Amino acid sequence: MTNNRKIRVGITQGDTNGIGYEVILKTLSVPEFCELCTPVIYGSSKVMTFHRKALEMPSLQVNTVRGGQIKDGAVNLIEVCGNEDIKVELGQPDKQAGHAAFLSLEAAVADLNAGNIDVLVTAPISKDNIQSESFNFTGHTEYLEACMGDGNKALMVLCNENLRVALVTTHLPISQVPAAITADAIKEKVHIFNKSLQRDFGIVKPRIAVLALNPHSGENGLLGNEEKTVIAPTLQELYDKDKVLCFGPYAADGFFGNETYRKFDGVLAMYHDQGLAAFKTLAMDNGVNFTAGLPQVRTSPDHGTGYDIAGKNLASENSFRQAIYAAIDIYRNRLRWDEGHAHPLRKQYFERGKDNVVLDLTKDE
């Protein structure tokens, strides 16, 4: 509950030719879901009806929001496409579908920043079709950092109940990755990840494993020097100076193959496919993409638009459902963390051997 109301979960429609509405409808068709939160869909009632009929699903009772009156404990829908006639061609990449996805995202982010909703869950987009003068980003993560970061840097984290994988580089061509693996980049991502594991996931002393860039962790320079010259020294500095419990670099294949990841609270990968290929193999059906580091909470399912199965009633809604659960859990964890750290007690320092004497540290020596 937030201010005596349920947590409001903003939901974007995503690419209207993909499986976004299918996973949304399947998730929200469970009547008990609105006992947990208040879903607010940013989309089109016409497009949603088209998908529902194509999937031969029963009607879903929806409150169409007018004048900002979101109904608590009900499924709400805010029309974002205006009078535009959005043509749905299931499974077909199309710029109009990308435009509809952007209108939904833009409206939801505005409401999130204004406090009209509490968290954001985004349905999948096509990073190509959504490109326009208004959206010139490589993905949700970069757009959200620009629109609601307030100077904070975003960190992509893929998570489920057993595994959390963050990335130093995200949507970057593989040819550009080595140059982007710098000491500053690693430090920045480790600090964001460490703070997120504490505040967002409630882990007091997180243990972070950091993966190598090169095969076999560089094989002592034979297969690359980044481990020796950049990654290992940076981790040592973070451990010694900043007291962050980070370890590595670990060769990625053996790290996941022998389940070493189970010994850590989080894993920091160097690039997109290094972390996500392993994560999706282990957690494809219930994985969640969480944008850490930003003032607001945003999650999404860890799958794409699913053009190949759009309209066939084959998409699993479990990852989308888990994304909503994760957003709510993270939101609540932040409230608890912030409340618990709002008024910290002043540390008291005692002289060794004289436990009854309190040192006055306010006086100049």
Side-chain angles (χ1 to χ4, degrees):
M1 302 288 287
T2 304
N3 297 327
N4 297 320
R5 63 168 172 79
K6 289 183 173 65
I7 294 174
R8 291 179 176 176
V9 180
I11 298 172
T12 63
Q13 65 183 353
D15 189 291
T16 51
N17 289 346
I19 61 173
Y21 269 112
E22 180 175 344
V23 296
I24 291 171
L25 288 166
K26 286 180 175 179
T27 298
L28 301 184
S29 63
V30 179
E32 293 80 12
F33 205 86
C34 288
E35 297 177 8
L36 173 67
C37 63
T38 298
V40 183
I41 303 169
Y42 291 80
S44 163
S45 56
K46 290 182 179 179
V47 174
M48 184 167 67
T49 299
F50 181 96
H51 280 265
R52 181 182 61 77
K53 290 182 177 179
L55 297 166
E56 299 181 345
M57 294 182 65
S59 297
L60 177 68
Q61 187 172 358
V62 175
N63 172 54
T64 301
V65 177
R66 294 181 175 85
Q69 295 300 315
I70 296 173
K71 185 177 180 181
D72 190 38
V75 177
N76 295 264
L77 185 140
I78 296 177
E79 296 278 358
V80 299
C81 297
N83 296 322
E84 295 187 37
D85 186 16
I86 305 297
K87 183 180 180 181
V88 180
E89 296 182 282
L90 291 172
Q92 299 301 312
D94 183 79
K95 284 292 184 182
Q96 189 180 41
H99 176 62
F102 171 71
L103 292 176
S104 173
L105 180 61
E106 182 183 44
V109 169
D111 271 1
L112 185 63
N113 285 332
N116 297 327
I117 55 176
D118 301 308
V119 299
L120 177 63
V121 179
T122 58
I125 61 172
S126 164
K127 296 174 179 60
D128 178 31
N129 294 332
I130 199 174
Q131 295 298 315
S132 68
E133 292 182 0
S134 302
F135 190 99
N136 187 22
F137 301 90
T138 54
H140 274 120
T141 304
E142 295 78 10
Y143 175 80
L144 295 171
E145 180 182 278
C147 292
M148 63 186 196
D150 195 25
N152 295 283
K153 294 294 184 180
L155 176 69
M156 183 186 290
V157 179
L158 279 293
C159 56
N160 71 355
E161 60 183 6
N162 298 317
L163 180 61
R164 304 172 194 89
V165 177
L167 306 175
V168 176
T169 63
T170 52
H171 301 119
L172 192 67
I174 197 71
S175 61
Q176 299 176 23
V177 169
I181 304 301
T182 65
D184 287 342
I186 295 171
K187 288 178 186 177
E188 177 182 85
K189 301 303 184 183
V190 166
H191 280 300
I192 297 173
F193 198 19
N194 188 62
K195 182 66 175 180
S196 177
L197 290 170
Q198 293 174 330
R199 184 175 180 233
D200 300 329
F201 295 95
I203 302 169
V204 178
K205 288 286 188 181
R207 291 169 50 86
I208 300 173
V210 179
L211 301 184
L213 173 65
N214 297 296
H216 305 292
S217 197
E219 202 71 81
N220 199 30
L222 180 65
L223 303 178
N225 289 312
E226 286 85 357
E227 287 73 24
K228 294 175 63 177
T229 61
V230 180
I231 302 175
T234 302
L235 299 185
Q236 192 64 52
E237 181 180 345
L238 285 164
Y239 186 92
D240 293 339
K241 293 185 178 180
D242 300 333
K243 309 305 179 185
V244 178
L245 301 181
C246 53
F247 308 89
Y250 294 96
D253 56 350
F255 181 84
F256 288 108
N258 60 25
E259 299 187 348
T260 304
Y261 66 87
R262 294 185 180 278
K263 300 177 181 179
F264 295 92
D265 302 300
V267 181
L268 183 66
M270 291 294 113
Y271 57 93
H272 186 279
D273 284 13
Q274 183 188 54
L276 269 61
F279 179 85
K280 291 186 177 185
T281 299
L282 295 167
M284 186 63 187
D285 191 48
N286 64 355
V288 174
N289 182 349
F290 165 50
T291 305
L294 301 184
Q296 310 286 4
V297 176
R298 174 262 174 171
T299 63
S300 75
D302 71 344
H303 57 70
T305 55
Y307 286 142
D308 57 326
I309 59 172
K312 299 178 182 178
N313 206 6
L314 296 175
S316 169
E317 74 278 18
N318 192 38
S319 181
F320 188 83
R321 182 188 297 117
Q322 295 302 324
I324 294 179
Y325 292 158
I328 293 171
D329 287 344
I330 291 168
Y331 182 81
R332 289 172 172 166
N333 285 342
R334 286 189 177 186
L335 291 179
R336 284 191 287 266
W337 173 273
D338 293 345
E339 182 180 2
H341 291 78
H343 304 289
L345 295 174
R346 182 177 181 271
K347 289 185 178 180
Q348 300 290 320
Y349 294 88
F350 295 89
E351 185 177 352
R352 182 171 297 182
K354 298 180 180 180
D355 289 348
N356 62 331
V357 179
V358 179
L359 300 180
D360 187 355
L361 301 182
T362 62
K363 293 181 179 180
D364 294 330
E365 290 294 335

